[in-house]
Amino acid sequence: MAELCLVPVIVIPLKFKVPDFNKYKGTTCPKTHLKVYCWKMGAYSKDEKLLMHLFQESLTGAAFTR
């Protein structure tokens, strides 16, 4: 199971709720998507593993499978 994890040894804070993201489909500006993602995850900006782990939640379609 550990080999399948995007980011191993991640600790998700208690009572953490994944923010609502506009899903990135690969058809709009990727820089804008990253800026909005960072803005919504700003409270967790020091936790790189959490940011990497949850980024996949903001992707859909072709952007998720590339």
Side-chain angles (χ1 to χ4, degrees):
M1 184 71 168
E3 292 176 16
L4 298 175
C5 292
L6 180 64
V7 181
V9 191
I10 184 165
V11 177
I12 298 178
L14 291 174
K15 298 184 181 182
F16 177 80
K17 182 181 178 265
V18 177
D20 291 328
F21 295 112
N22 288 331
K23 302 284 185 171
Y24 181 70
K25 300 173 187 170
T27 58
T28 57
C29 178
K31 285 184 180 182
T32 300
H33 179 74
L34 285 171
K35 286 178 184 180
V36 172
Y37 177 79
C38 290
W39 175 72
K40 288 189 175 196
M41 294 297 294
Y44 304 97
S45 62
K46 301 283 186 203
D47 191 343
E48 288 185 4
K49 287 185 177 185
L50 182 65
L51 292 174
M52 289 186 292
H53 178 74
L54 292 175
F55 185 71
Q56 64 189 342
E57 296 292 324
S58 75
L59 304 175
T60 191
F64 185 73
T65 59
R66 287 185 185 173

